[in-house]
Amino acid sequence: MLSELQIRDFAIIDNLALNFNAGFIVLTGETGAGKSIIIDAVEMLLGGRADTSLVRTGAEVAFVEGTFQLEASIQPSVEAILEREDLQAEPGSVHLSREIRREGRNICRVNGRVVTLALLSEIGERLIDVHGQSEHLSLLRVREHLTLLDRYANVDQVKQEFTALYMRLTALRRELALLREKEVNAARQIEFLTYQINEIEAAALKPDEEQALLEERTRLANAERLAQLSEQALAFLDNDIDTQASALDLTGRSFELLGQLKGIDESLQDAVDRSQSVQDQLVDLVRELRRYRDSVEFNPQRLEQVEERLNLIQDLKRKYGDSVEAILSSAQMAQTELDQISHAEEQVEKLIQQEAVLLKDLGNSGALLSQKRREAAEELGRSIEQELGDLKMAGAQFGFNLTWRDDPDGAPVENRRLAFTERGFDQLEFLVAPNPGEGLKPLVKIASGGETSRLMLGLKGVLAKADQTPTLIFDEIDQGIGGRVGAIVGEKLWRLAASHQVLCITHLPQLAAYGDQHIKVEKLIEGGRTLTRTRSLNPEDRIPEMATMLGDVSDANLESATDLLHSANAFKQSPA
């Protein structure tokens, strides 16, 4: 519900702060005091149209902000939006603000963060419905009619079953479309995939082959240098160079001398052992180096073969991946896709059969959902007509236009193929005939004014349980009605306030008497400027205000106002 509203420099309002309670709230005051301007400010706060003409003369910025306590019915959906946009603040509440600058800039905020107008509207439409002189009216949004009916009809389970079938069918049709698309290009795709597979398989690649080839190319390209270096190393290890002894000769002599030393001093046994180990390792080194020298060969033909092989691998890498493993994986994927295409006809036939079964099930589920909706709509119509009769609109009719649309690819129902969405087969629009003999017309085309407001009230009274919007505002709902009907409207608004916060601008004391909170809107002239002020009336202050609404503050009117309040209080305290 709307708990706090602050307005600054908006039209004739310089600075206004209002606190609202739960229940039924009435706003009264003379014409031109600013009651409707307050509602205009609320509409702007919810994302309605705004322009620079709303900025108060002499000011640069018009500002409106409101704090809302989230009812359980809408808290999950609103907090889901806040979480999605990273706008969370205190759980269970949301703070909206909007400012219009004279130069044209429009700034919207949610919980202190700047947001788009679209996002402000998305949140705002969940919080308040304004009925009367604006377009911010959920019942005039045709797309909402089916949702309202479904809540009234309590068809959640049937609807969930239909939606589950719809999701399964949608996924199957998506898969079927992909297979059919592949069928269209099958011949060309088969040729392309076969070429890829053959090219990769012909190369007969091995996972570690590239690294081995790179190492071999390095050896072949440097064969002469490798042979020369290994020969020189062997000369130092095992041959005489310029009459100098080789490394093997020197270690051999050292070993003999250590043996003689050990014969004298046994403590050198470890040194002798290590000397023997060094000599053995040196012999092994010479043997290994000689084998390497003998294996080195200068082979231009083999080098050319290695280069060609590496070029082939590089070419395949450019086409299929950045490694031999990636190339082999591409071949496997191409083979899998080729198998799928080769069996696409069988798969398509299988999916077509599954589609037929799902369409039949969808038809049965959708037909049941439509039947329940139609039954609920007829009951809804009777209830609303009764409400309208209470509101002195006897003879007014309420109906509905629930239609199906044919589609050759739709679900089978009653020898027809019906188009469907995730909501079912039905397209729904509410119809009304405010006066006898006029014929039913779409709700969105009825005339504006008090007749429309009473019609909205009748609809809201019946759909109260279905409508989750927590705050309802009725602007000039008493237009064109008298005091007797005004009392009935007051009763109905008060009852409606059991499940909603209801704000109503009224000129009828008979209606105002049912308010749980009574706010008086006054117009003052200060310093040559018109200002709007408000004050919440206590029970004693309400009597002279309602007497003024009856004409003037005379004894007779004061007595009548007192009687109206007593009568309204008695109604409120009586058993429902």
Side-chain angles (χ1 to χ4, degrees):
M1 71 173 194
L2 175 62
S3 58
E4 297 177 17
L5 179 68
Q6 184 168 359
I7 307 170
R8 292 201 306 269
D9 294 324
F10 184 89
I12 64 172
I13 298 175
D14 61 338
N15 192 352
L16 200 61
L18 295 129
N19 294 303
F20 297 108
N21 301 329
F24 181 29
I25 304 161
V26 294
L27 288 83
T28 64
E30 65 183 62
T31 301
K35 302 184 298 299
S36 293
I37 292 175
I38 294 174
I39 306 306
D40 291 341
V42 171
E43 290 190 86
M44 190 183 82
L45 179 64
L46 301 175
R49 184 175 178 273
D51 57 56
T52 57
S53 65
L54 295 172
V55 181
R56 186 168 178 265
T57 302
E60 294 300 319
V61 181
F63 180 82
V64 183
E65 64 178 336
T67 300
F68 298 82
Q69 304 304 318
L70 300 178
E71 305 293 331
S73 60
I74 65 161
Q75 185 171 349
S77 64
V78 173
E79 291 190 344
I81 298 173
L82 298 178
E83 183 177 356
R84 182 192 75 199
E85 303 293 337
D86 194 22
L87 296 169
Q88 305 96 319
E90 182 180 350
S93 69
V94 63
H95 187 85
L96 308 183
S97 67
R98 189 173 178 191
E99 59 184 69
I100 305 295
R101 296 183 178 271
R102 187 169 294 282
E103 77 275 8
R105 191 179 178 194
N106 183 340
I107 301 175
C108 307
R109 289 187 175 88
V110 175
N111 289 334
R113 298 270 302 278
V114 175
V115 300
T116 64
L117 179 59
L119 179 58
L120 184 72
S121 299
E122 183 182 1
I123 296 173
E125 69 179 9
R126 287 167 168 78
L127 302 174
I128 294 181
D129 259 351
V130 181
H131 295 204
Q133 301 175 8
S134 72
E135 298 174 351
H136 194 83
L137 179 59
S138 65
L139 286 170
L140 295 185
R141 293 195 293 266
V142 176
R143 61 185 173 84
E144 296 291 340
H145 292 182
L146 192 60
T147 301
L148 288 169
L149 177 62
D150 283 348
R151 291 176 186 163
Y152 179 82
N154 192 25
V155 292
D156 289 349
Q157 183 175 351
V158 179
K159 193 174 178 181
Q160 288 172 5
E161 292 172 357
F162 181 91
T163 302
L165 288 168
Y166 172 85
M167 297 301 292
R168 287 173 55 192
L169 180 62
T170 300
L172 184 145
R173 283 184 163 178
R174 189 161 46 242
E175 182 180 357
L176 190 56
L178 289 174
L179 284 173
R180 282 172 169 159
E181 184 179 347
K182 288 180 179 180
E183 273 191 317
V184 172
N185 302 313
R188 183 170 55 188
Q189 190 70 1
I190 288 173
E191 182 180 355
F192 177 67
L193 292 170
T194 301
Y195 172 80
Q196 288 184 321
I197 294 168
N198 291 340
E199 184 178 33
I200 295 173
E201 289 182 347
L205 300 176
K206 298 177 181 178
D208 300 326
E209 179 181 8
E210 185 178 18
Q211 184 60 36
L213 287 170
L214 289 170
E215 293 173 0
E216 184 180 1
R217 181 178 66 178
T218 300
R219 290 194 299 273
L220 289 169
N222 296 277
E224 186 176 350
R225 179 63 174 160
L226 292 173
Q228 180 183 5
L229 291 173
S230 58
E231 187 64 42
Q232 289 178 353
L234 280 170
F236 281 109
L237 290 171
D238 196 26
N239 296 303
D240 291 336
I241 300 176
D242 297 330
T243 70
Q244 293 183 3
S246 68
L248 278 176
D249 292 335
L250 293 174
T251 55
R253 293 175 188 175
S254 174
F255 179 69
E256 290 177 2
L257 293 173
L258 284 171
Q260 294 177 22
L261 286 170
K262 182 254 181 186
I264 301 172
D265 185 352
E266 289 292 336
S267 65
L268 292 173
Q269 179 62 51
D270 183 59
V272 171
D273 292 342
R274 280 185 284 141
S275 175
Q276 179 66 56
S277 176
V278 169
Q279 188 176 32
D280 291 343
Q281 290 181 34
L282 195 58
V283 169
D284 288 341
L285 176 61
V286 169
R287 188 181 300 115
E288 182 178 347
L289 190 56
R290 185 171 286 115
R291 282 198 303 269
Y292 178 78
R293 181 201 60 189
D294 294 342
S295 70
V296 173
E297 61 174 335
F298 181 67
N299 189 341
Q301 184 177 1
R302 175 56 186 166
L303 178 59
E304 183 178 352
Q305 292 173 347
V306 171
E307 291 285 5
E308 289 178 355
R309 185 66 174 173
L310 286 170
N311 289 337
L312 173 62
I313 292 174
Q314 193 63 33
D315 182 54
L316 293 175
K317 283 168 65 176
R318 282 194 298 269
K319 294 181 180 179
Y320 305 113
D322 57 3
S323 66
V324 171
E325 289 77 7
I327 297 170
L328 295 173
S329 177
S330 292
Q332 292 176 350
M333 289 189 292
Q335 186 63 57
T336 299
E337 188 175 354
L338 183 60
D339 292 341
Q340 289 178 344
I341 294 175
S342 301
H343 298 88
E345 186 175 346
E346 299 173 13
Q347 291 176 293
V348 166
E349 184 59 34
K350 181 179 179 181
L351 290 178
I352 288 175
Q353 294 174 3
Q354 293 176 5
E355 180 188 30
V357 173
L358 277 176
L359 281 170
K360 183 178 179 181
D361 292 342
L362 196 74
N364 293 333
S365 179
L368 177 61
L369 179 59
S370 292
Q371 178 185 346
K372 290 184 175 296
R373 283 171 170 166
R374 190 173 295 276
E375 293 171 354
E378 291 173 352
E379 180 183 340
L380 175 65
R382 289 190 293 269
S383 299
I384 289 176
E385 286 175 359
Q386 181 178 346
E387 287 282 316
L388 296 178
D390 293 342
L391 293 168
K392 304 305 177 184
M393 290 182 67
Q397 292 179 294
F398 181 89
F400 59 92
N401 186 21
L402 196 150
T403 59
W404 292 344
R405 183 171 59 84
D406 291 318
D407 183 344
D409 296 322
V413 178
E414 299 178 1
N415 299 319
R416 296 173 64 181
R417 287 278 181 175
L418 300 182
F420 55 85
T421 68
E422 69 278 5
R423 304 173 75 187
F425 304 133
D426 304 309
Q427 300 178 66
L428 176 71
E429 185 172 11
F430 292 150
L431 306 174
V432 294
N435 301 300
E438 292 185 357
L440 291 168
K441 297 178 182 178
L443 180 61
V444 297
K445 294 183 179 179
I446 62 174
S448 61
E451 190 175 70
T452 303
S453 295
R454 278 187 285 166
L455 181 58
M456 294 302 103
L457 177 58
L459 289 168
K460 279 294 181 180
V462 175
L463 294 172
K465 294 181 180 179
D467 189 356
Q468 296 180 347
T469 311
T471 298
L472 310 176
I473 297 178
F474 292 90
D475 186 7
E476 305 289 356
I477 195 172
D478 55 12
Q479 182 180 355
I481 64 176
R484 185 160 170 263
V485 177
I488 297 173
V489 172
E491 293 175 5
K492 291 189 175 295
L493 288 175
W494 182 80
R495 289 190 186 279
L496 188 57
S499 55
H500 298 74
Q501 181 191 46
V502 178
L503 282 75
C504 178
I505 292 176
T506 182
H507 293 282
L508 288 177
Q510 293 87 349
L511 191 160
Y514 288 86
D516 298 316
Q517 180 182 5
H518 190 152
I519 297 174
K520 181 177 181 179
V521 183
E522 301 175 286
K523 178 172 63 175
L524 304 176
I525 307 295
E526 292 183 3
R529 298 291 302 276
T530 302
L531 304 176
T532 294
R533 293 288 182 265
T534 63
R535 57 191 178 100
S536 188
L537 303 181
N538 58 38
E540 292 75 19
D541 292 335
R542 294 185 71 186
I543 294 175
E545 170 64 11
M546 291 174 59
T548 302
M549 296 170 71
L550 287 168
D552 56 32
V553 185
S554 64
D555 291 341
N557 285 340
L558 287 171
E559 184 178 353
S560 296
T562 302
D563 290 342
L564 287 173
L565 284 172
H566 286 165
S567 177
N569 288 333
F571 174 82
K572 292 180 182 181
Q573 294 170 11
S574 64

